[in-house]
Amino acid sequence: MTAETDPFILTLEQTDSTNTYVREHFDELPDLALVRAKFQTAGRGRLGRKWLSPPGVNFCGTFCFKNVADGFHAGMLCGIALMRTVAELLPGVPFYLKWPNDLYFEKSKAAGLLGEGILRQGKIAGIAMGIGLNVNTTQEELAGTGQSAVSLRMIANQEFNVDFVAKLLAKQLNVCYIMYSDSVPELFPEWRSCNKLIGKTIAVTDACGARFEGFFRDVTPQGEMILEYEEQGVPLQKIFNCCDVSVDKSSL
Ligand code: BTN
């Protein structure tokens, strides 16, 4: 018989960034701890962007992973936990993951992930995986971000209790983690099936600004994108890591 324990959640009124908090307190935090903040003064997004969120209305938090193989596994766990959470809150709404782990509804982003490795003696000792989920932001508040974004409130036309959303997400993450510890290959097909752009013609831009248009054939077991494209009539294949490229909005 196994006793179920509640997930560890630390709620801060305010911090610069929950990713920074987890990095700075990594040694004191338990595995799978969730550190969330009602307000971040310097929230970060991917590719050096800022993550802006008005006080109190959205979920901003970071999971502390101590026993996952790498950043992809931490992202996969959080991506699936996010999908399961929104499926429970808004049953039947067709959310999907835009590779690798952004949560989308139609052509608008509802949540993003930022993973950062934590080094100890030159080795990765853990991953701080931050999640920003638009819960109660209004259309007007999101318009200021300059991106096509959406919140759960805008989709469902009702407000959500952010504490409840955080508890649900932590619970889902813990359930996924138990599956992960038993068998990594079991979770991978679920993550793959949430990635709606697989099998579509898409465009990506790499870190140097080079643009590739091609067919998103599949993902590798390490979560990389296999893109098939043509150059002067010659069929080519390239494997992209999520740190190397971003998928263009035109692909959605
Ligand atoms: C992105 O899509 O660019 C990733 C956004 C990640 C935002 C979250 S909010 C909680 C955590 N703390 C941060 O500073 N960033 C992540």
Side-chain angles (χ1 to χ4, degrees), residues 18-79:
T18 53
N19 269 36
T20 306
Y21 188 97
V22 167
R23 291 171 68 160
E24 288 173 352
H25 296 82
F26 181 74
D27 297 321
E28 304 117 62
L29 289 167
D31 188 22
L32 304 187
L34 168 63
V35 177
R36 53 177 287 246
K38 294 189 179 166
F39 182 53
Q40 294 187 123
T41 53
R44 299 195 297 276
R46 281 185 65 225
L47 309 170
R49 297 190 191 112
K50 286 182 180 162
W51 184 263
L52 300 171
S53 177
V57 295
N58 290 329
F59 171 84
C60 297
T62 301
F63 285 102
C64 172
F65 287 99
K66 300 198 166 187
N67 288 304
V68 286
D70 53 32
F72 165 58
H73 284 186
M76 174 177 73
L77 283 163
C78 288

Side-chain angles (χ1 to χ4, degrees), residues 10 13 17 19 40 49 77 85 102 106-107 117 123 152 160 174 178 183 187 211-212 227 236 245 250:
L10 174 64
E13 284 301 315
S17 151
N19 269 36
Q40 294 187 123
R49 297 190 191 112
L77 283 163
T85 299
D102 282 347
E106 295 177 346
K107 289 177 186 291
K123 287 194 187 133
L152 304 187
F160 292 85
N174 278 261
I178 292 167
S183 155
L187 273 183
R211 197 165 183 271
F212 299 83
L227 191 77
L236 297 168
V245 280
S250 58

Side-chain angles (χ1 to χ4, degrees), residues 11-204:
T11 303
L12 308 168
E13 284 301 315
Q14 179 175 317
T15 190
D16 47 2
S17 151
T18 53
N19 269 36
T20 306
Y21 188 97
V22 167
R23 291 171 68 160
E24 288 173 352
H25 296 82
F26 181 74
D27 297 321
E28 304 117 62
L29 289 167
D31 188 22
L32 304 187
L34 168 63
V35 177
R36 53 177 287 246
K38 294 189 179 166
F39 182 53
Q40 294 187 123
T41 53
R44 299 195 297 276
R46 281 185 65 225
L47 309 170
R49 297 190 191 112
K50 286 182 180 162
W51 184 263
L52 300 171
S53 177
V57 295
N58 290 329
F59 171 84
C60 297
T62 301
F63 285 102
C64 172
F65 287 99
K66 300 198 166 187
N67 288 304
V68 286
D70 53 32
F72 165 58
H73 284 186
M76 174 177 73
L77 283 163
C78 288
I80 297 173
L82 255 180
M83 285 289 293
R84 291 186 182 189
T85 299
V86 291
E88 207 166 319
L89 293 168
L90 287 83
V93 173
F95 287 100
Y96 64 95
L97 294 180
K98 170 182 169 251
W99 183 86
N101 280 307
D102 282 347
L103 180 77
Y104 265 71
F105 169 70
E106 295 177 346
K107 289 177 186 291
S108 302
K109 179 162 164 167
L113 263 63
L114 176 68
E116 295 176 324
I118 290 155
L119 292 176
R120 290 287 178 274
Q121 284 146 3
K123 287 194 187 133
I124 297 270
I127 309 284
M129 187 56 73
I131 302 179
L133 169 65
N134 297 327
V135 180
N136 288 319
T137 18
T138 59
Q139 182 114 48
E140 295 69 41
E141 285 165 330
L142 284 173
T145 65
Q147 282 196 333
S148 177
V150 72
S151 68
L152 304 187
R153 173 183 176 170
M154 284 160 62
I155 298 168
N157 217 7
Q158 68 167 81
E159 281 196 50
F160 292 85
N161 179 318
V162 186
D163 294 339
F164 179 75
V165 174
K167 278 190 196 140
L168 192 55
L169 182 60
K171 189 194 91 182
Q172 292 294 2
L173 192 276
N174 278 261
V175 170
C176 292
Y177 189 73
I178 292 167
M179 272 181 83
Y180 172 79
S181 311
D182 285 349
S183 155
V184 177
E186 253 187 65
L187 273 183
F188 184 77
E190 182 173 344
W191 177 77
R192 188 180 171 279
S193 70
C194 296
N195 267 277
K196 203 182 107 175
L197 299 185
I198 297 172
K200 299 244 157 71
T201 298
I202 61 162
V204 300

